[in-house]
Amino acid sequence: MANLLSVKSLGCLSVYLEYDDGVEGKIDLSSTVEKNCFEELKNQEEFSKVFYDECTNELCWPGGVRLCVNALHEKLSLLSLMNRLKIDLDNE
């Protein structure tokens, strides 16, 4: 699996991820935040504190929210492929 090189908060519950295999891009996490009741991440100041924990291979926030970077890599890869194929699905 690819290794995460960097993560950057873009605001509006989105992050920009860059992996060592060339996969990179913006992921909107708003539906993940809603589905999992991560209320603290709706605060932009809190959301912007995202960091990568190399030991657990997760995106993390100080409040305890954790997301698997491997799953996010797969999602980003699929979104990139859909974009190249001009496939527009109105769901995540």
Side-chain angles (χ1 to χ4, degrees), residues 47-59:
F47 186 82
S48 69
K49 296 177 183 176
V50 64
F51 65 94
Y52 174 53
D53 184 339
E54 292 182 34
C55 294
T56 62
N57 201 34
E58 296 171 315
L59 285 190

Side-chain angles (χ1 to χ4, degrees), residues 29-78:
L29 297 174
S30 57
S31 66
T32 301
V33 169
E34 283 296 323
K35 288 177 189 174
N36 295 289
C37 300
F38 296 147
E39 294 298 318
E40 64 271 22
L41 296 186
K42 290 181 181 178
N43 176 309
Q44 185 54 46
E45 185 177 330
E46 189 65 23
F47 186 82
S48 69
K49 296 177 183 176
V50 64
F51 65 94
Y52 174 53
D53 184 339
E54 292 182 34
C55 294
T56 62
N57 201 34
E58 296 171 315
L59 285 190
C60 302
W61 285 265
V65 174
R66 298 176 166 277
L67 299 176
C68 175
V69 296
N70 292 339
L72 294 171
H73 178 273
E74 292 302 314
K75 181 175 182 175
L76 189 55
S77 295
L78 289 171

